[in-house]
Amino acid sequence: MKCTRRTTELRLAAPLRISRSTTTARHAVRLAVEHQGLHGHGEAVTSVYYGLDAGALHQWLHRCSEALARFPDPETALAALPEDTTGAPLAVTAAVESALLDLVGKRAGEPVYRLLGATDAPTAATARTIGITTPSRAAALATRLADQGFTVLKVKAGSADPEDDIARVRAVRAAAPGARLLLDPNGGWSASAAPRLLGRFAELGVEAVEQPVAPGDPEGLARLAARSPLPVVADEDAVSLEDARRLTGRVHGINVKLAKCGGAGAALRIAGLIAGSGTDLMLGCLTASSLGIAPAVHLADRARWTDLDGHLLLSHDPWTGIGGDDGTVRASARPGLGVRPSTPFDHPRMPAPEAEARP
């Protein structure tokens, strides 16, 4: 098998502010795996939070490419994951798995969701993120998104003054009264303030809150969830299968991001672990192209909450094939991941962006 890599800059249509930083762009490193004339594709994106820049992603994907060259076919290579990428960042393992799933599916004439055990093409109402901004701007965006068909809105929180968050959520609720609301402080609340804030947002009709307090104290998060008036979803505190095992049955949900846990196979293991425990699955994502989001869309029928809008935040998505503009993401029935380039792969390599931050 032959592997190639290319870096593309993904620029957001508007800056996205969260509790710890603001994102304007990030890089995507695409891995293409070729075997007998067919190509499979995967994508890893840079992240300051996870300590990954474009250079590191290139180096790791180069090492993985050398390892893949030893296998006679993509099916054998896929069966060897994740052991064959031991030591690589989980985002890299996820990108390699994506490329192999895409290629194996194309060789078999089957969509990826069938390779992962589903019969019908998954579809899901995806949340659409509203960053930390003024109440008036949040309300205007919520109105536009509701008009487009979005029924789930995720509001970022963690402002220095919690009253700003209250005002933003109240404005979004008034602008889109029929929408389900999720809240994500990205760990921006103090442990002492969190219980009171959870109560206030419950009164505003928020459906669930992701990672309300800073990561690093999963026991504290579990204690907070036990007395919360609304569901608490672990995100930054739930990266690996062992993290999920520690919190299963003790929080109301776990946000599984394929780039965070290591790919679709790892996500399925977490989903199996938490099934029936009282802890539900959320599928989340980084800001990425449709190629980077697609593997999670092929799992979307397994989640209570779906937050797969990373491609919708871009000013230009170099890939297409999973929808989402009307509030619903859809796995394609085409062989493999079912995505295709929206433009030729002729983008120049870009310098690293100055600010990146979405976990």
Side-chain angles (χ1 to χ4, degrees):
M1 292 185 291
K2 179 181 177 181
C3 300
T4 56
R5 299 165 304 284
R6 182 179 291 272
T7 299
T8 302
E9 184 183 46
L10 300 178
R11 210 153 258 291
L12 275 68
L16 178 66
R17 181 185 167 199
I18 66 173
S19 61
R20 57 176 171 257
S21 53
T22 299
T23 304
T24 58
R26 65 172 74 233
H27 282 156
V29 182
R30 173 179 58 90
L31 173 69
V33 181
E34 186 271 334
H35 185 68
Q36 296 180 347
L38 291 175
H39 293 79
H41 301 279
E43 178 181 276
V45 294
T46 56
S47 170
V48 169
Y49 183 80
Y50 291 114
L52 294 173
D53 59 24
L57 290 175
H58 261 285
Q59 290 175 5
W60 279 109
L61 287 169
H62 175 69
R63 295 181 195 178
C64 291
S65 298
E66 292 179 330
L68 290 177
R70 302 196 302 265
F71 292 96
D73 53 59
E75 292 81 7
T76 306
L78 184 61
L81 284 175
E83 289 78 7
D84 199 61
T85 56
T86 299
L90 293 171
V92 170
T93 300
V96 172
E97 182 198 58
S98 172
L100 292 174
L101 282 170
D102 191 29
L103 184 52
V104 169
K106 288 173 179 175
R107 280 165 55 84
E110 296 281 1
V112 163
Y113 64 80
R114 288 196 182 138
L115 301 182
L116 299 176
T119 301
D120 300 318
T123 65
T126 181
R128 176 63 160 78
T129 301
I130 297 176
I132 294 177
T133 186
T134 64
S136 61
R137 289 177 180 172
L141 180 54
T143 298
R144 178 169 65 81
L145 293 172
D147 289 344
Q148 288 177 219
F150 285 88
T151 59
V152 187
L153 300 177
K154 183 167 91 167
V155 184
K156 290 291 187 178
S159 299
D161 183 354
E163 293 302 321
D164 292 342
D165 296 334
I166 296 287
R168 187 180 316 107
V169 170
R170 186 176 286 122
V172 169
R173 169 55 74 208
R180 299 162 56 197
L181 296 186
L182 306 175
L183 192 70
D184 186 8
N186 289 106
W189 295 348
S190 68
S192 59
R196 175 179 57 83
L197 292 172
L198 287 168
R200 294 190 67 183
F201 284 109
E203 293 172 356
L204 292 175
V206 170
E207 182 175 320
V209 176
E210 291 180 55
Q211 195 69 43
V213 293
D217 182 13
E219 293 300 317
L221 183 66
R223 289 192 298 271
L224 179 65
R227 62 183 188 272
S228 173
L230 49 74
V232 169
V233 179
D235 183 357
E236 288 90 340
D237 265 328
V239 175
S240 67
L241 183 66
E242 287 309 309
D243 293 336
R245 195 185 311 279
R246 185 180 302 114
L247 289 168
T248 294
R250 306 177 68 202
V251 294
H252 304 93
I254 289 178
N255 187 344
V256 173
K257 298 172 183 173
L258 271 57
K260 181 176 71 170
C261 71
L268 286 174
R269 288 189 287 275
I270 293 174
L273 171 70
I274 67 177
S277 70
T279 297
D280 291 312
L281 179 68
M282 172 183 274
L283 276 175
C285 65
L286 306 181
T287 304
S289 76
S290 287
L291 171 61
I293 306 295
V297 176
H298 283 264
L299 299 173
D301 55 345
R302 293 164 164 89
R304 174 178 173 181
W305 300 285
T306 302
D307 178 24
L308 299 177
D309 69 337
H311 62 304
L312 303 176
L313 305 179
L314 303 178
S315 60
H316 171 69
D317 185 352
W319 293 80
T320 185
I322 59 174
D325 289 330
D326 61 353
T328 300
V329 289
R330 304 168 178 86
S332 172
R334 292 158 54 100
L337 290 173
V339 296
R340 56 195 181 279
S342 57
T343 57
F345 293 122
D346 57 358
H347 306 284
R349 295 191 177 186
M350 303 288 185
E354 293 181 358
E356 320 174 323
R358 193 175 172 208

